[in-house]
Amino acid sequence: MPRDGLGFREFERRLERERDSWRFRRKDADDRKTYDGVFDRDNLLRIYKLFSDGVIDQVDFPISTGKEGNVFRAIRSDGTFLALKIYRTSTATFKEMAKYVHGDPRFKGVTRNRRKLIYTWASKEFRNLQRLEDAGVRVPSPVSCHKNLIVMEYIGTESSPAPLMRSVTLEDPEAMARKLLDYVRRAYQKAELVHGDLSEFNVLIHEGEPVIIDVGQAVLLGHPLAEELLVRDMGNMARYFSKHGVGIDVDAELRRIRKR
Ligand SMILES: Nc1ncnc2c1ncn2[C@@H]1O[C@H](COP(=O)(O)OP(=O)(O)O)[C@@H](O)[C@H]1O
Ligand SMILES: [Mg+2]
């Protein structure tokens, strides 16, 4: 999708075609459902804005299609890759999201309007990425946020996105556990954030190193859910690593994380 001189109609037609070819390639029976709400007119216009602002030059292939949105690989004009996450504005998990946004002083006064809440969610994820990166937690570096679209560093190789921790065999599970616990501590002490959905499903392994993703639900320490979510995150880590022969003393770790 080159952007020079491409009018919206032409763009829309081309994206339609690309979407059809993705559909064609993927044999999922529920493909139609998968893309519903992602490539509607509004989102096409927003992607178009990313093109005209020079943030991205092309939308590459879909990396993941989830309940709340899709992640695509995107290509910059210099040929390097980015990741584009698009939240569905018709998401079924709206109520869940509200729980994490209300109670965050950064987003006081956000209405109960569904569309606005999704925009807030995307900007919350974007800002959380920034805070975590500043605190020295390895996350995809945030690049840009526009309404329900987030552009961030692409984690992976030329040929494929990095695998989830759950689907790789760790060479040194103990070292991995130590790194992740250090990230949880940095997130807490420096970024003052609790991830809230930390598990082997939200850690990518890239060149042997963990990269934490999916931080939309992460909450500030003052949030009423923060402590409960921290305990849950640690429980997930302990459960996962115990299956790989690494014991984590959750109480001791929690004390260490909370000691500020
Ligand atoms: N920056 C990224 N680089 C490469 N792949 C990514 C990136 N962000 C997300 N992904 C892939 O997309 C999937 C879904 O992203 P995630 O942020 O976990 O959203 P959700 O779980 O809510 O669908 C991830 O499991 C991962 O495989
Ligand atoms: Mg996820």
Side-chain angles (χ1 to χ4, degrees):
M1 275 166 287
R3 60 195 170 84
D4 357 300
L6 198 61
F8 177 68
R9 257 183 221 303
E10 173 59 13
F11 164 71
E12 196 173 28
R13 261 201 8 242
R14 288 200 202 176
L15 202 54
E16 268 294 324
R17 263 205 316 265
E18 294 229 349
R19 180 179 68 173
D20 285 345
S21 72
W22 292 338
R23 261 191 203 153
F24 196 72
R25 271 208 304 265
R26 298 174 41 95
K27 299 256 185 289
D28 285 9
D30 64 351
D31 238 10
R32 183 170 283 281
K33 208 174 74 205
T34 300
Y35 288 113
D36 271 356
V38 171
F39 285 140
D40 56 20
R41 197 185 158 81
D42 286 343
N43 282 342
L44 289 179
L45 277 168
R46 289 169 198 148
I47 295 171
Y48 190 54
K49 177 157 168 45
L50 295 179
F51 288 170
S52 54
D53 287 352
V55 179
I56 58 172
D57 208 51
Q58 285 180 58
V59 175
D60 205 355
F61 59 84
I63 297 174
S64 151
T65 52
K67 218 169 30 177
E68 289 157 4
N70 293 2
V71 178
F72 296 86
R73 188 162 84 174
I75 307 179
R76 247 193 298 225
S77 52
D78 65 2
T80 57
F81 302 122
L82 291 170
L84 166 67
K85 188 170 184 178
I86 305 180
Y87 279 102
R88 229 171 245 125
T89 42
S90 56
T91 179
T93 49
F94 176 74
K95 275 221 178 80
E96 271 296 300
M97 285 186 169
K99 213 167 71 180
Y100 292 83
V101 169
H102 298 140
D104 188 322
R106 293 175 296 174
F107 305 105
K108 244 190 215 138
V110 168
T111 59
R112 277 157 210 278
N113 173 294
R114 171 189 291 273
R115 194 173 288 272
K116 288 214 180 110
L117 183 65
I118 311 287
Y119 299 165
T120 304
W121 185 264
S123 94
K124 181 165 176 276
E125 173 153 11
F126 185 76
R127 290 169 65 170
N128 286 344
L129 284 172
Q130 274 170 333
R131 283 180 84 102
L132 289 165
E133 181 175 58
D134 290 347
V137 178
R138 180 69 174 108
V139 293
S141 189
V143 172
S144 172
C145 179
H146 175 54
K147 302 209 169 183
N148 53 322
L149 277 52
I150 301 171
V151 181
M152 63 187 131
E153 177 191 0
Y154 162 78
I155 308 295
T157 63
E158 166 111 43
S159 56
S160 56
L164 295 177
M165 186 164 76
R166 76 164 292 255
S167 50
V168 300
T169 309
L170 298 178
E171 265 180 39
D172 187 348
E174 180 147 13
M176 191 60 72
R178 233 179 298 119
K179 261 174 209 158
L180 285 168
L181 292 180
D182 180 55
Y183 287 158
V184 173
R185 189 182 52 81
R186 277 169 194 264
Y188 190 94
Q189 298 184 353
K190 296 204 169 129
E192 305 195 335
L193 282 173
V194 172
H195 186 288
D197 194 17
L198 188 63
S199 76
E200 62 274 29
F201 293 89
N202 280 326
V203 176
L204 298 178
I205 303 295
H206 184 50
E207 293 165 347
E209 295 292 322
V211 183
I212 295 180
I213 59 164
D214 211 358
V215 302
Q217 71 293 316
V219 295
L220 288 174
L221 299 191
H223 192 282
L225 291 170
E227 288 302 317
E228 180 189 326
L229 291 173
L230 175 66
V231 172
R232 194 171 74 182
D233 284 354
M234 290 299 292
N236 286 342
M237 287 293 102
R239 183 188 34 72
Y240 170 82
F241 281 105
S242 79
K243 283 192 287 188
H244 294 80
V246 179
I248 293 177
D249 181 343
V250 173
D251 287 332
E253 287 299 333
L254 282 171
R255 272 195 303 278
R256 209 168 59 86
I257 288 165
R258 288 183 180 128
K259 204 164 88 188
R260 299 211 289 145

